[in-house]
Amino acid sequence: MLPLLSSTTDALSSGGTELLNLAVETTTNEDAPDTGGLADFLRGFFGPLFLVIVSIVAVFFLFTREITRFAQFIILAIFIGIVFYVPGIIEVIAVALARAMGVSTE
């Protein structure tokens, strides 16, 4: 049984190396799912669905002759499409806004 200590250095100096081993064992979990291709899968799945929905709504606005709403919708759809299809754009925009406001981004 480990005594209650105020810091990790106290635990290690008093011979509590099993505490360090326990921490290392719990952080390396080999049963975790591989999520490396999750973003690509979701982009490949929802991308065509997004394009179909945008096309249907755009055709609806054109047939009802609402040109102003059509233009607004297309601009919004282009913006959402850029955010959706370009993976690093959110980080680039955030860094650019921070630099424009004078915040250090280093």
Side-chain angles (χ1 to χ4, degrees), residues 2 8 10-25:
L2 290 173
T8 306
D10 292 339
L12 292 176
S13 65
S14 66
T17 57
E18 61 273 349
L19 179 66
L20 183 61
N21 291 337
L22 180 64
V24 170
E25 288 175 9

Side-chain angles (χ1 to χ4, degrees), residues 2-85:
L2 290 173
L4 295 176
L5 299 170
S6 61
S7 70
T8 306
T9 56
D10 292 339
L12 292 176
S13 65
S14 66
T17 57
E18 61 273 349
L19 179 66
L20 183 61
N21 291 337
L22 180 64
V24 170
E25 288 175 9
T26 58
T27 57
T28 58
N29 190 358
E30 296 169 355
D31 296 332
D34 181 27
T35 59
L38 181 62
D40 293 331
F41 170 74
L42 291 175
R43 199 172 290 122
F45 182 75
F46 288 110
L49 184 64
F50 172 74
L51 291 176
V52 167
I53 292 171
V54 166
S55 300
I56 291 171
V57 174
V59 167
F60 171 76
F61 282 141
L62 281 178
F63 280 134
T64 57
R65 297 186 182 194
E66 297 182 32
I67 303 302
T68 306
R69 281 184 148 183
F70 170 75
Q72 292 171 349
F73 177 74
I74 290 298
I75 290 171
L76 182 64
I78 288 172
F79 177 73
I80 291 172
I82 288 172
V83 169
F84 186 72
Y85 282 111

